[in-house]
Amino acid sequence: MKGWCGRILNVDLSRGTLEPAALNPLDAQLFIGGRGLNDKVLFDRIPPGTDPLGPENVICFAPGPLSGTVLGLTSRVEVSTLSPYSGILGDGNAGERLAHVMKLAGWDQINITGRCERPSYLYIHEDEVSLIPCPEHWGTDTWEFTEAMRNTHDRDISVACIGQAGECLVRFASVIVDKYASAARGAGAVMGSKNLKGIVVRGNRKVKLADPETFKALAKEDRNFFKTDPFQKGVASCIGSHHGILNWFPGYRNYEDFWDRSKIPAAIQPEAFKEYEVRRTGCRNCTVQCKNRFEIPKGRRAGEQGEAMEYECVFCLGTNCGITDPVVIMEMENLCDRYGMDIIAAGNTMAMVKDLFNMGDITIEDTGGLDLSWENADDQVKLLHRTALRQGFGNIVAEGLYLGAKILGKRAMDVCYHVKGLSRGPYKSGMFALAHATSTRGADHLRGRSWAYGENDGDLFSKLKSEGRLPADMADNPVSALIVSERACTLADCIGRCKGAVNSWSCAVPLVNQYPLMEGLARLMTAATGVPYTEERLSATADRVYLLEKAFNIRCGTRRQDDRLVLHKDLLGTEEAAKEQEKHEAMLTAYYEASGQDLVTGIPTRRKLEELELGFVADTLEKELPLEPWDGPKPWPLNAYPSGEKRV
């Protein structure tokens, strides 16, 4: 095979087996790699009713066929599992070096099930694969473990690991790659449930290409764009996603407001964060260098450096929790990286809890003495520690947004602004609400929303509309724009391409500025693999992956009602809310019609599945349905979880 390595690694931790296998060429062509390849494994191997924290759950790691090549922005690895945070498909996409190194080691995918008898890590050096016990490292944070592995093996390794949050089964624990990249949606808790501390990979092979000269020329075209484009050079490379602080309307105090640039305090504006910046950096083979390395100037962690503090931290753990102190925000960034926790989920859960505290639904007695007043940054940091270690009230916060709301009761569900367990806040009907509703991993901006809305691609977005690639008036026709955008994001996750810290078509779709929409990507894929890709073939692949994910979630109990409109608590029960719901339902019906889903249930139709060569999915659904409706992940008693002691 060309582009692909042709090998996958199947690991059963309970049996202690490490079995290489050939990558099925048909699976490679139908699902490409990364997200698509992982989806196929999860659908095949995880039956309905599986406990996400049980040994039978599967976690998959996969780069794309373009990872490990000279094409820039392609060191993205997809980490997929049944999420203990949402109870549906949970995938995270992480940068740094793992995707690149996995391909150089000769692997297209790693699939892991079972549970180690004692804490261990998986070591892969090309053909050499071993499971190494490491009880002495259980209880260490991700930075400590990564440095220990570099000292044990070599500095050229890539390390994906968990910290104490994963070990304590915090439901939004992340897998942290090379200290600073996060694969979210609870993958860290799944690794912790398997007693798997980390995966260490090393390799020096080359990825074989079908037409290396053509591929190299196309990659050069792509690289030259990023070197010369004013926005990529002047914004993305200089301030990265901090661009969003002034342009993306961050939520304030659990979405009580959305701040425009006139409301953003000077202390957390992009230029202010430059004061703490040590240098710019990026993932392996990146021409943009969108990340900042920063140093905390004072306070509890004075002198500590961190990396890749993005907009989401300033928003989710900052403004949306009522915190605008940049030093505390940087501190919380590092704590989440070291403990191994998803910043977005941690922030959304804390914002909900602080909202309930400030409404009087929970008290200082409930929180174990923590004052969760909006402006109290010190006690929020204390709660972050307690959450990572499942101590006291932190044990409830560690359950995450949806399960936490169910435990806390009263008005918690009114301020738990979720779609299928994940939150991007409350929005009235329209493009944002529809994109959050149809996202296959719960409310999310990275499944298509930013691309359909054209947040960061002004000139290109206008060009795509003038060419008829996107509707001229999205307000009247959001569905077709969203479907095209979902295809773009799906393909990026399958090929191993970064969608950009400043989410853009230019990042997600290689050569989109030089060729019509996906034609440049088709040329790259053909040159890499030798398979004759076209725009039509790529679009069908994206639709296939998306409907396979929808089918996976159907087996988790989701239906049309779960693709829900999320409105602010102040609108609930009003006439305006009823009108917004009616508009949303009309858009959702149009979306289902266009994408081949049953208008009543949201289940993909057999006709559409067979058209996309997914007849086996239709067969499986017909055998298994009906199933219990989705109500979040399978809960555990709070006293059943492990707790930690060592604070970061």
Side-chain angles (χ1 to χ4, degrees):
M1 299 179 79
K2 301 294 171 61
W4 297 284
C5 301
R7 293 195 309 168
I8 61 176
L9 179 64
N10 291 315
V11 178
D12 188 324
L13 299 172
S14 297
R15 295 168 53 215
T17 56
L18 312 168
E19 298 177 345
L23 172 64
N24 185 329
L26 182 59
D27 283 349
Q29 292 191 32
L30 289 178
F31 303 103
I32 296 181
R35 177 174 152 191
L37 209 56
N38 286 354
D39 291 339
K40 176 62 163 55
V41 171
L42 297 185
F43 189 89
D44 286 347
R45 295 177 57 178
I46 299 179
T50 297
D51 184 348
L53 296 176
E56 64 276 12
N57 195 6
V58 181
I59 184 168
C60 307
F61 294 74
L66 303 189
S67 300
T69 69
V70 296
L71 181 68
L73 284 75
T74 53
S75 190
R76 304 294 300 191
V77 66
E78 196 79 6
V79 183
S80 309
T81 191
L82 172 62
S83 171
Y85 181 59
S86 64
I88 61 170
L89 174 69
D91 59 47
N93 187 275
E96 293 293 344
R97 300 179 66 249
L98 183 59
H100 188 86
V101 176
M102 273 185 69
K103 290 295 291 292
L104 269 55
W107 300 98
D108 292 307
Q109 189 181 43
I110 303 168
N111 305 316
I112 302 170
T113 191
R115 186 177 191 273
C116 296
E117 189 174 331
R118 54 182 177 152
S120 303
Y121 68 91
L122 181 64
Y123 178 70
I124 301 170
H125 183 189
E126 297 179 357
D127 296 336
E128 176 193 347
V129 182
S130 56
L131 200 58
I132 301 175
C134 63
E136 69 277 12
H137 293 300
W138 203 253
T140 61
D141 68 47
T142 64
W143 292 7
E144 292 169 332
F145 181 76
T146 299
E147 287 303 318
M149 293 299 98
R150 288 171 177 172
N151 292 332
T152 299
H153 298 289
D154 208 309
R155 306 295 296 184
D156 66 350
I157 59 173
S158 181
V159 180
C161 68
I162 60 171
Q164 297 96 314
E167 296 171 3
C168 295
L169 310 186
V170 173
R171 287 184 176 269
F172 47 82
S174 288
V175 173
I176 301 296
V177 177
D178 298 328
K179 296 175 71 170
Y180 304 115
S182 172
R185 263 59 66 182
V190 174
M191 279 183 62
S193 74
K194 297 182 178 303
N195 258 349
L196 185 64
K197 182 65 177 179
I199 300 173
V200 178
V201 186
R202 188 179 182 191
N204 292 292
R205 295 174 174 172
K206 290 186 177 180
V207 177
K208 295 178 181 178
L209 302 174
D211 185 349
E213 292 306 314
T214 298
F215 188 89
K216 190 183 299 184
L218 291 166
K220 185 177 180 180
E221 279 190 72
D222 183 70
R223 185 166 57 253
N224 286 342
F225 167 80
F226 287 100
K227 285 183 175 180
T228 58
D229 179 69
F231 184 82
Q232 295 297 332
K233 281 183 62 182
V235 177
S237 292
C238 293
I239 59 174
S241 66
H242 289 189
H243 170 74
I245 297 170
L246 294 178
N247 293 282
W248 298 342
F249 304 96
Y252 176 65
R253 292 186 173 182
N254 200 28
Y255 305 103
E256 203 55 46
D257 190 13
F258 288 90
W259 274 0
D260 63 25
R261 59 175 55 210
S262 70
K263 297 177 181 177
I264 306 295
I268 59 169
Q269 292 189 15
E271 287 306 313
F273 277 113
K274 278 289 186 183
E275 178 185 340
Y276 315 112
E277 188 174 300
V278 176
R279 61 182 172 87
R280 303 300 296 175
T281 185
C283 301
R284 179 67 171 80
N285 203 22
C286 177
T287 47
V288 178
Q289 304 285 291
C290 71
K291 298 179 181 180
N292 65 333
R293 175 170 277 274
F294 60 88
E295 184 171 308
I296 299 174
K298 60 184 179 180
R300 288 174 289 256
R301 312 192 80 79
E304 182 178 85
Q305 292 192 2
E307 193 170 299
M309 190 200 68
E310 300 197 10
Y311 162 79
E312 299 295 351
C313 186
V314 180
F315 156 35
C316 293
L317 281 170
T319 63
N320 207 37
C321 287
I323 306 300
T324 57
D325 182 338
V327 172
V328 176
I329 291 171
M330 288 186 284
E331 178 183 5
M332 291 188 290
E333 166 73 38
N334 282 1
L335 288 176
C336 283
D337 283 349
R338 297 185 71 165
Y339 278 127
M341 289 192 292
D342 173 28
I343 280 168
I344 296 176
N348 280 326
T349 307
M350 286 199 174
M352 176 188 73
V353 167
K354 293 184 81 171
D355 205 353
L356 292 170
F357 183 90
N358 286 277
M359 290 193 298
D361 282 21
I362 57 177
T363 67
I364 202 163
E365 287 75 27
D366 297 319
T367 64
L370 295 178
D371 173 15
L372 299 184
S373 301
W374 286 117
E375 67 280 359
N376 192 330
D378 287 344
D379 277 13
Q380 181 172 317
V381 171
K382 290 177 185 176
L383 181 56
L384 201 62
H385 284 288
R386 295 184 190 182
T387 298
L389 300 173
R390 280 195 178 269
Q391 295 175 344
F393 184 68
N395 197 22
I396 294 176
V397 179
E399 289 293 88
L401 189 71
Y402 188 79
L403 285 184
K406 289 177 70 175
I407 293 168
L408 293 169
K410 297 182 181 178
R411 290 178 286 181
M413 275 298 171
D414 291 346
V415 294
C416 170
Y417 298 120
H418 81 96
V419 176
K420 299 184 284 286
L422 271 65
S423 177
R424 291 305 298 180
Y427 287 91
K428 293 182 180 180
S429 61
M431 175 65 75
F432 272 39
L434 183 64
H436 296 165
T438 60
S439 167
T440 50
R441 63 181 181 188
D444 196 282
H445 61 300
L446 292 172
R447 283 306 211 233
R449 187 199 82 186
S450 297
W451 291 261
Y453 192 65
E455 291 177 57
N456 309 306
D457 282 294
D459 293 341
L460 177 61
F461 200 65
S462 298
K463 178 186 172 189
L464 292 174
K465 289 197 288 187
S466 68
E467 292 174 348
R469 301 283 185 162
L470 292 172
D473 187 353
M474 291 186 313
D476 293 331
N477 189 14
V479 170
S480 60
L482 180 58
I483 289 175
V484 173
S485 302
E486 286 174 343
R487 287 171 180 163
C489 293
T490 301
L491 290 169
D493 291 339
C494 290
I495 65 175
R497 176 83 165 192
C498 178
K499 296 192 282 286
V502 184
N503 309 147
S504 67
W505 284 88
S506 306
C507 291
V509 184
L511 300 170
V512 68
N513 288 275
Q514 294 91 326
Y515 300 92
L517 201 55
M518 295 178 190
E519 185 183 320
L521 174 56
R523 293 186 184 200
L524 279 164
M525 284 293 294
T526 300
T529 67
V531 177
Y533 279 94
T534 62
E535 284 195 84
E536 292 74 21
R537 182 171 187 159
L538 287 170
S539 294
T541 300
D543 292 348
R544 182 180 303 118
V545 169
Y546 217 81
L547 276 197
L548 180 62
E549 293 174 345
K550 183 64 183 279
F552 181 90
N553 291 340
I554 292 295
R555 298 171 81 205
C556 298
T558 66
R559 295 295 183 271
R560 178 176 175 132
Q561 67 267 20
D562 299 305
D563 293 346
R564 62 193 292 265
L565 175 68
V566 182
L567 294 173
H568 192 271
K569 69 177 189 294
D570 293 344
L571 282 179
L572 298 180
T574 66
E575 185 178 336
E576 183 180 358
K579 290 179 180 177
E580 292 298 326
Q581 185 68 43
E582 185 178 349
K583 292 177 187 176
H584 177 73
E585 293 299 333
M587 288 183 192
L588 191 60
T589 295
Y591 176 87
Y592 283 174
E593 258 185 323
S595 58
Q597 301 178 52
D598 183 87
L599 304 187
V600 176
T601 64
I603 299 172
T605 66
R606 171 173 281 280
R607 180 178 179 181
K608 188 64 176 180
L609 290 170
E610 289 180 344
E611 176 188 317
L612 294 170
E613 301 181 68
L614 293 174
F616 70 95
V617 173
D619 293 341
T620 300
L621 294 179
E622 288 176 4
K623 287 177 186 175
E624 293 178 346
L625 298 181
L627 295 164
E628 287 293 314
W630 177 87
D631 191 24
K634 184 177 292 187
W636 283 18
L638 288 176
N639 62 6
Y641 294 97
S643 61
E645 298 179 0
K646 182 185 173 185
R647 285 193 170 195
V648 165

